[in-house]
Amino acid sequence: MTSEQITAEGTWTVAPEPFTSPDATALRRAYYAEVAGRYWRRPVSEAEIDEGLRDDPADGLAAPTGCFVVGRYDGRPLSCGGIRLLDATTAELTRVYVDPRARGTGGGAALLGALEDAARDLGAERVRLDTRSDLVEARRLYARQGYAEIPAYNSGPYAEHWFEKRIPAALPG
C-alpha cells in the first residue's frame, strides 16, 4: 500500500515503514517534541524526548493488527502516523504528525487517506482517534476530512476530544 497525492505545491507519497526506521524515529521524535512542548508550554529537551520515546511502544502498529506509515513530500520525510485495530471493525489513529513546514500542502489529507486505506485493509469499518484541545490544527484537519466528534471511547490521560469516521468497504476489483 503506497499512495501518492500530487498538489499544486508538490507530491506527497505515503507508504508503510517500520516504526523503528531512521525516518520514522526522527518523525516520532519531532511529534513528541511538539505535543509535549505544547502541553508543557516550553521547549522539550532531547533527554525528555528520549524518555518519552522509551515509553512509546509500537502497540500493534505492524501486521497483522496495524500499520505505521511515513509521508514524503517531494522525497523528504515530513509526516507519519499509525493505525491499529481496537476490535474487528474499529481502528484507531495514533501518532499522526505533519511537520509544521509542510502543513497546508495536502500532507494531512494524504496521510489520513493512506491510514484509512490501511484500516480498510485490516477489515475496519470505522476509524477513531483521541486528541487534546490545544492541538487545534489536528482537530481542524480531522473535521475537514470527515471525522465527527463522538463521546469518549477511552480514558487516556491526555484525551479531551474523540473523533470517528465511517470508512466504506473497498470496491471489488
Side-chain angles (χ1 to χ4, degrees), residues 52-85:
L53 291 181
R54 272 194 297 277
D55 298 330
D56 187 32
D59 282 0
L61 297 178
T65 59
C67 179
F68 193 80
V69 300
V70 169
R72 288 181 168 75
Y73 184 59
D74 290 339
R76 295 183 349 244
L78 293 173
S79 70
C80 68
I83 192 89
R84 63 178 163 221
L85 287 175

Side-chain angles (χ1 to χ4, degrees), residues 142-153:
Y142 300 133
R144 270 196 321 265
Q145 296 302 313
Y147 287 78
E149 285 212 48
I150 60 170
Y153 69 89

Side-chain angles (χ1 to χ4, degrees), residues 131-144:
T131 191
R132 296 191 329 237
S133 293
D134 62 323
L135 300 176
V136 293
E137 301 93 339
R139 292 191 356 252
R140 195 175 312 126
L141 170 67
Y142 300 133
R144 270 196 321 265

